[in-house]
Amino acid sequence: MAQKRALVVRGGWEGHQPVKATELFIPFLEDNGYAVRVEESTDVYGDAEELAATDLIVQCVTMAEITHEQVAGLGAAVAAGTGLTGWHGGIADSFRASADYLHLIGGQFATHPGKEPCLRRGEAEDNFLPHTVHFTELGREHPVTAGLEDFELETEQYWVLHDDLIDVLATTTHPVRPWQPWHRPVTSPAIWTRRWGEGRVVVTTPGHSLDVLEDTAVRTVIERGMLWATRTASAS
């Protein structure tokens, strides 16, 4: 059997520590038999030959920009069977100006609600709220999340705009608060998968900082997601 090939693409906003964050998971990939290549830009998405030989892309690029040719190359590779996965802003808040990228991923970060204004200190922690990640009925059976229990986090809680082609494995609910303008609780997908052509996409929204990525539940979901998203035999 040929060795599986993983491509780690990282960059963008440094606040999400793309190098340190991805370095947490490279040993897992290597231990599971992947040959890992790391790229510090999205230029590789324009290399159709390289992407065709890649079984899994792990992307950690928050915001940033992407060319039409690069996003077309990424989309074509996923449609042909290359898996795509990532966490937090590295996949759900990438390339905001690209409608084609948003269409590929199926969900886009809109905001992360903050603490009561009088408690804010102008720091990242202003947006850290305690919240629960609830697994859906599908999530309790899906290979990426089966056997996991609902879990608590105190970090950024992503509010996501999405379409209904995604398969939601877990959700999180934004409650009504006196200082916020919405009038009823809003539930957002927190973990989802998406079939795109022959390819599989997995998005895990928790992951703002290294301590969140090292949370047992979060790390388990990301690692299982890498394995599940990897090119399947039917897409070879």
Side-chain angles (χ1 to χ4, degrees):
M1 180 182 295
Q3 186 176 29
K4 293 171 290 187
R5 296 183 60 184
L7 172 64
V8 174
V9 181
R10 62 195 186 190
W13 184 58
E14 286 295 327
H16 284 153
Q17 299 179 272
V19 173
K20 290 183 178 180
T22 52
E23 293 293 334
L24 287 176
F25 296 98
I26 290 175
F28 171 82
L29 290 168
E30 293 173 338
D31 289 347
N32 280 273
Y34 292 77
V36 180
R37 173 179 173 178
V38 178
E39 291 291 333
E40 310 292 342
S41 82
T42 56
D43 290 349
V44 68
Y45 290 162
D47 187 339
E49 184 176 350
E50 175 64 26
L51 295 189
T54 297
D55 300 299
L56 174 70
I57 297 169
V58 179
Q59 180 182 283
C60 186
V61 184
T62 302
M63 294 182 280
E65 296 181 355
I66 193 169
T67 68
H68 174 75
E69 292 74 19
Q70 289 167 1
V71 77
L74 174 61
V78 174
T82 300
L84 174 62
T85 191
W87 53 86
H88 203 61
I91 192 168
D93 189 22
S94 310
F95 322 127
R96 295 175 180 177
S98 173
D100 289 339
Y101 176 79
L102 302 182
H103 194 207
L104 171 64
I105 299 302
Q108 168 65 30
F109 163 80
T111 191
H112 37 60
K115 295 177 179 176
E116 188 174 357
C118 66
L119 300 177
R120 300 177 191 177
R121 299 291 181 265
E123 301 172 349
E125 289 77 6
D126 290 352
N127 298 314
F128 290 4
L129 295 175
H131 60 277
T132 304
V133 176
H134 295 279
F135 290 102
T136 63
E137 183 176 347
L138 174 63
R140 298 192 184 283
E141 300 176 353
H142 195 281
V144 172
T145 47
L148 298 177
E149 300 294 333
D150 296 351
F151 60 96
E152 307 288 330
L153 293 172
E154 186 165 353
T155 183
E156 290 181 348
Q157 182 185 21
Y158 264 21
W159 181 312
V160 173
L161 307 179
H162 60 96
D163 66 33
D164 65 1
L165 188 63
I166 66 174
D167 295 318
V168 180
L169 306 186
T171 64
T172 188
T173 298
H174 305 273
V176 175
R177 293 185 171 98
W179 61 93
Q180 301 291 11
W182 53 91
H183 302 281
R184 62 174 182 263
V186 177
T187 297
S188 285
I191 302 164
W192 71 85
T193 64
R194 187 174 182 86
R195 299 292 186 102
W196 196 254
E198 297 295 327
R200 296 173 168 183
V201 178
V202 183
V203 177
T204 306
T205 63
H208 172 74
S209 51
L210 300 183
D211 61 308
V212 177
L213 292 171
E214 291 174 328
D215 176 271
T216 300
V218 174
R219 185 161 192 153
T220 297
V221 170
I222 292 171
E223 290 177 345
R224 288 187 188 175
M226 291 175 178
L227 302 179
W228 184 83
T230 297
R231 183 190 306 274
T232 62
S234 63
S236 298

